[in-house]
Amino acid sequence: MEPREVRKALMMCAVVVVALGLSWAGAAQGKYVVEERGLNVLSPGSLEGKFDVAVSSFGRPGYAGSILGSLQYPKQGASGCTAFNKFSVSFKKSDSDYRHSPIALIESTGECDFAWRVYNAQLAGAAAVLIVDGKDEPLIKMADSAYASPPSSAKYVANITIPSALVNKTLGDLLRTELTTGSGQVNVKLEWGEAPTEPLIYEFWTISQDKCGANCDSQVEFVQSFRGVAQNLEKGGYTVFTPHYIVWFCPPKFTESKECKSQCLNNGRYCSPDPEDNFESGYEGKDVVTENLRQLCVHKLLLERKKPWVWWDYVADFHLRCSMKEGKYTHDCGDTVAGFLGLNATDIHACMGDPDADADNLLLKAEQDGQAGNGGERGDIVITPTLVISDKLYKGKLENGAVLKAMCSQFAEGTEPSLCMGHELQTNDCLDANGGCWADASGLVTACRDTFKGRVCECPYYQGVQFKGDGYQSCTPTGEYRCSINNAGCWQETRGNQTFSACSGDKPEGCECPAGFKGTGVDACENIDECKAKTKCQCSDCSCTDTWGSYDCQCAGDLIYLADNDACVRKTTLEEKGVLWFSFAVVGLAVVSLIVVAIIVYKYRVRSYMDSRIRATLAQYMPLDSSSQDIYRHLQEESG
């Protein structure tokens, strides 16, 4: 039996799996996912409810945020194919309704593409756009077209900074009717809530050896460079990682051959994936499979201890201390490296089982089964190294930055780990005009938060103050310390040593002019002239002078002004009143003292009398020699 025949038989397994993988790749092309979000209709009551809308593929969806808006339907040019200024249509925010941002509701009729309609609505002042589907069909994704009209789509698509979505025909018809023939007022909340923050699932398919040439060198290099990144992601709960190892099986008719015996464990069930290299290298391929099994057990034991990220330390140290390429490998070397991590060799061997037994090994059997895609979207694993990230295959020479970027792209907007936010992986979209989000006048506070895919507009938490609003048009500081941030947008003015403010920390929000002023409290507070208004200092002897924020009331002669009574009184009268009240106080104190003394004397006399009575009564039954005379005298006094 020629070794070449054995090699050919082993490699046929890989050929079959490759064919399956190619067929999967062709079937997976063209998949287009419709991303849905929620539209919550708040009023009128007849339309209240939550509805799904389809997010467009252009513009800047406000992931992890929401927009509280008022729908506006244009009376002319409702398709948006013509610039709205041609019809004098504007979606500018109403001064009387500062809470709601303008959301344009436009039609999908006409020959222009979706992006052009949204761009025109943005130019007209819309904060977001809802487009009504002209057909009664399931929600579809709005995309910018290569055959767009007008043809200069690349330019205007890049300049769209507002979110947009498609609503189905049924809901769109109801909204349009309410705006045109009903109340004319529809308030909605467009929610771009982030997806559930589930950890990212990924796998790393590899082999334990490093003597298979450039392919093995690439794997060792990747493990060393990606080690820290993988451990940080796992510790932070952002990922769930599982290592896997490629193993083949030996065809039954070759299991007794010298080649299969040197390459395989468990009587040919699990073989090294690189038989030709192993034959030429002079070491048994089953050593590679044994180490694959050991590393699976190391990960299993670490997972039980809730420290799966330590696996990367084991593999990195194994390649340094037990390198097959450098001739350092021995059967005990892996146990020694595991011991450095606090793992017991006995536990590892118990997990590995007997590699010479003519029986299935559950761990290696699971690896073989896991290599096959089984007709699913993932495809089959045929080469190492291979990363599987959310059922997508990344093969070939793996590079640290490219792998991290691929992983970051899988996180929902605004939920990605901080590792994804490095300047080498993405650009900061908040640097350009705050990403189209709200920012205060000073530029210190902005609602723009940079994300890996773009940015989100959400009101910030800044210096202990929580801002609230839609994140696009407005954010308002709230809470006890809100006045410390630009006076919460309220009016404030200082003249000389006096400062008045319309912001109060006692109120969680809003502006209110202080006493002595009137106005909205936002733009300005106007001084109230109490003298002119005749609300203060109106007594006959009063002389009123208005001051900023207050008033000054003077009395003629030696009169003194009493603000509580709005009256002028003589100073001597006040003094006389003071003396009179003092006299009353002294007399009152004397009377109280006499009453207290009288009560004390009265109680003493009553007590003495009662004591005498008691003693006299007792003497009638138990005469006391020492006091008989006193008792007799007492009885005489009573009878006399």
Side-chain angles (χ1 to χ4, degrees):
M1 191 177 300
E2 294 293 330
R4 184 176 301 277
E5 295 181 34
V6 179
R7 297 173 192 163
K8 183 176 180 181
L10 289 172
M11 296 307 294
M12 280 297 294
C13 300
V15 172
V16 172
V17 175
V18 168
L20 290 173
L22 290 175
S23 64
W24 163 82
Q29 291 179 352
K31 186 177 181 180
Y32 210 35
V33 178
V34 178
E35 183 181 1
E36 296 183 359
R37 289 294 187 268
L39 176 69
N40 193 2
V41 179
L42 305 176
S43 65
S46 58
L47 295 180
E48 281 185 13
K50 195 165 186 177
F51 307 89
D52 289 331
V53 296
V55 179
S56 64
S57 63
F58 48 83
R60 292 181 175 175
Y63 291 110
S66 62
I67 298 179
L68 187 64
S70 177
L71 291 186
Q72 297 185 20
Y73 184 78
K75 295 180 180 179
Q76 291 179 288
S79 69
C81 290
T82 303
F84 286 103
N85 61 8
K86 299 290 186 182
F87 306 100
S88 299
V89 171
S90 173
F91 299 113
K92 297 294 183 181
K93 192 171 186 178
S94 172
D95 294 334
S96 60
D97 187 7
Y98 65 91
R99 294 181 57 212
H100 295 89
S101 299
I103 298 179
L105 181 71
I106 59 179
E107 306 286 352
S108 60
T109 56
E111 297 302 322
C112 62
D113 77 330
F114 289 124
W116 178 246
R117 306 170 197 266
V118 174
Y119 182 60
N120 282 334
Q122 175 182 304
L123 294 178
V129 176
L130 295 179
I131 296 181
V132 180
D133 194 343
K135 300 179 180 178
D136 192 3
E137 60 183 350
L139 288 171
I140 61 174
K141 193 178 187 74
M142 297 190 299
D144 54 305
S145 171
Y147 307 99
S149 176
S152 58
S153 62
K155 180 178 179 181
Y156 66 77
V157 166
N159 290 329
I160 295 177
T161 60
I162 63 174
S164 57
L166 185 74
V167 300
N168 63 44
K169 186 177 187 301
T170 301
L171 175 60
D173 290 344
L174 292 174
L175 296 175
R176 184 196 313 107
T177 301
E178 185 66 28
L179 291 171
T180 55
T181 62
S183 65
Q185 182 71 32
V186 177
N187 293 327
V188 300
K189 186 176 184 181
L190 189 57
E191 298 176 295
W192 310 93
E194 60 197 35
T197 55
E198 297 292 336
L200 177 67
I201 307 297
Y202 78 102
E203 304 169 358
F204 180 38
W205 288 84
T206 182
I207 54 176
S208 60
Q209 70 156 312
D210 60 355
K211 196 177 175 64
C212 60
N215 192 39
C216 283
D217 292 341
S218 174
Q219 293 183 77
V220 173
E221 180 183 347
F222 174 72
V223 169
Q224 296 288 358
S225 64
F226 198 66
R227 172 184 177 182
V229 173
Q231 290 179 325
N232 283 330
L233 292 174
E234 196 84 4
K235 290 178 183 178
Y238 293 103
T239 60
V240 172
F241 159 76
T242 306
H244 289 290
Y245 297 86
I246 295 181
V247 291
W248 305 126
F249 64 92
C250 185
K253 68 176 182 177
F254 296 117
T255 55
E256 296 301 320
S257 68
K258 176 182 178 181
E259 290 76 19
C260 274
K261 286 180 178 294
S262 66
Q263 297 297 118
C264 310
L265 301 182
N266 297 91
N267 197 30
R269 287 175 173 81
Y270 315 107
C271 308
S272 169
D274 297 295
E276 191 163 357
D277 283 340
N278 289 333
F279 286 141
E280 295 177 356
S281 64
Y283 64 84
E284 293 184 341
K286 67 180 182 181
D287 288 341
V288 177
V289 188
T290 300
E291 290 311 315
N292 290 347
L293 180 56
R294 186 193 310 276
Q295 292 181 18
L296 285 171
C297 285
V298 167
H299 181 264
K300 180 180 179 182
L301 293 174
L302 291 172
L303 191 61
E304 292 174 355
R305 298 185 181 189
K306 299 182 179 180
K307 292 184 178 181
W309 54 84
V310 181
W311 176 90
W312 292 89
D313 293 329
Y314 174 84
V315 175
D317 288 348
F318 177 83
H319 287 311
L320 290 174
R321 299 174 182 273
C322 308
S323 171
M324 295 179 179
K325 180 179 181 180
E326 299 176 6
K328 298 179 181 179
Y329 174 76
T330 65
H331 285 287
D332 296 331
C333 189
D335 289 341
T336 302
V337 174
F340 295 150
L341 303 176
L343 298 177
N344 189 291
T346 302
D347 294 336
I348 294 176
H349 293 163
C351 171
M352 293 174 64
D354 183 4
D356 296 322
D358 186 8
D360 284 336
N361 182 293
L362 296 181
L363 285 178
L364 292 177
K365 182 68 167 61
E367 295 303 285
Q368 273 186 344
D369 295 341
Q371 288 175 230
N374 297 322
E377 293 187 1
R378 191 205 70 183
D380 301 292
I381 308 297
V382 295
I383 63 172
T384 61
T386 295
L387 270 173
V388 182
I389 304 175
S390 295
D391 282 341
K392 297 180 178 63
L393 302 184
Y394 297 84
K395 297 173 283 189
K397 181 176 174 59
L398 300 177
E399 190 271 329
N400 187 345
V403 170
L404 180 58
K405 195 168 186 177
M407 295 176 71
C408 292
S409 66
Q410 301 299 315
F411 288 95
E413 195 87 6
T415 68
E416 59 278 282
S418 58
L419 285 171
C420 298
M421 303 312 298
H423 63 85
E424 68 278 3
L425 295 180
Q426 57 93 46
T427 56
N428 190 337
D429 289 349
C430 292
L431 297 179
D432 182 14
N434 292 301
C437 304
W438 170 88
D440 76 331
S442 67
L444 296 176
V445 188
T446 176
C448 187
R449 180 162 64 88
D450 188 38
T451 66
F452 179 79
K453 296 179 181 178
R455 66 89 179 93
V456 294
C457 293
E458 56 183 21
C459 294
Y461 182 81
Y462 178 74
Q463 293 185 355
V465 178
Q466 178 64 59
F467 286 74
K468 293 183 179 181
D470 58 33
Y472 291 86
Q473 301 292 328
S474 66
C475 285
T476 304
T478 60
E480 182 180 358
Y481 304 107
R482 65 191 183 96
C483 300
S484 63
I485 307 296
N486 297 325
N487 206 47
C490 301
W491 169 85
Q492 179 175 284
E493 187 175 343
T494 300
R495 294 184 184 180
N497 295 325
Q498 281 187 307
T499 299
F500 288 99
S501 171
C503 182
S504 172
D506 296 333
K507 296 183 178 180
E509 58 186 16
C511 304
E512 182 178 337
C513 290
F517 293 89
K518 62 181 179 180
T520 63
V522 179
D523 299 324
C525 286
E526 180 184 351
N527 173 62
I528 297 175
D529 189 339
E530 291 84 358
C531 301
K532 186 176 181 180
K534 296 184 178 181
T535 57
K536 302 290 183 181
C537 195
Q538 295 302 302
C539 58
S540 58
D541 296 319
C542 297
S543 175
C544 186
T545 303
D546 183 56
T547 62
W548 185 57
S550 186
Y551 65 96
D552 181 31
C553 191
Q554 298 293 330
C555 295
D558 61 347
L559 299 180
I560 295 178
Y561 180 66
L562 297 180
D564 293 340
N565 300 321
D566 191 30
C568 289
V569 298
R570 294 186 181 277
K571 184 177 181 180
T572 54
T573 302
L574 290 178
E575 293 175 349
E576 291 173 356
K577 288 183 178 180
V579 172
L580 182 60
W581 279 109
F582 177 75
S583 301
F584 283 146
V586 171
V587 173
L589 181 61
V591 172
V592 170
S593 300
L594 290 174
I595 294 174
V596 171
V597 172
I599 291 174
I600 294 173
V601 171
Y602 173 76
K603 285 187 175 182
Y604 175 76
R605 292 296 303 273
V606 170
R607 183 173 180 180
S608 298
Y609 175 76
M610 292 301 297
D611 287 345
S612 300
R613 292 282 299 176
I614 293 171
R615 288 172 62 85
T617 302
L618 290 174
Q620 294 180 25
Y621 300 96
M622 295 180 296
L624 300 177
D625 295 338
S626 60
S627 59
S628 58
Q629 295 298 325
D630 293 337
I631 295 172
Y632 177 75
R633 185 170 51 252
H634 177 78
L635 292 174
Q636 281 187 331
E637 290 176 356
E638 265 196 345
S639 61

